[in-house]
Amino acid sequence: MESAGVQPWDHLHPMAVRILTERGFDLTGHHPKPVPLQPIPDLVVTIGSVARDRIPSPLVKATRWIHWDIADPADADGTPQSEAVFRRCAEEIERRLPALL
């Protein structure tokens, strides 16, 4: 499994790192990266409207393309709700992951 973005940041979001670390994920050595176009994966999951709208055309040919309409939690940066928004996003993704198996 790979993770990449259509508009990757130059660093991992600190709140995302904190919440994923709390959930037992080791992000050592991980960094944002662009979506690879080759080889075309069997499954592509887009999260959020930006990813859906800007998916590179070769990835549309994946065997399965699933879209999850989950808002980007970084949109809540600088608000009192920021941490809660990141936690809800992580919970929503965790809730949906078993359906991929």
Side-chain angles (χ1 to χ4, degrees):
M1 178 169 34
E2 294 288 328
S3 174
V6 294
Q7 291 181 300
W9 289 21
D10 61 353
H11 63 281
L12 296 175
H13 194 288
M15 185 67 72
V17 171
R18 186 168 117 200
I19 290 170
L20 290 172
T21 300
E22 288 174 3
R23 287 174 159 71
F25 293 94
D26 179 7
L27 299 177
T28 304
H30 288 266
H31 61 280
K33 53 196 158 299
V35 175
L37 301 179
Q38 292 296 327
I40 295 174
D42 294 329
L43 172 65
V44 171
V45 178
T46 51
I47 299 178
S49 59
V50 170
R52 180 198 59 223
D53 296 345
R54 296 186 180 169
I55 184 171
S57 58
L59 297 184
V60 175
K61 297 174 186 154
T63 304
R64 287 177 58 201
W65 174 20
I66 298 169
H67 176 69
W68 293 345
D69 196 18
I70 300 172
D72 185 345
D75 291 346
D77 277 352
T79 70
Q81 299 84 16
S82 179
E83 183 175 346
V85 170
F86 269 88
R87 290 189 183 284
R88 280 194 304 273
C89 181
E91 290 165 4
E92 185 63 22
I93 291 170
E94 284 180 330
R95 185 183 71 74
R96 294 176 186 216
L97 282 174
L100 296 179
L101 300 176

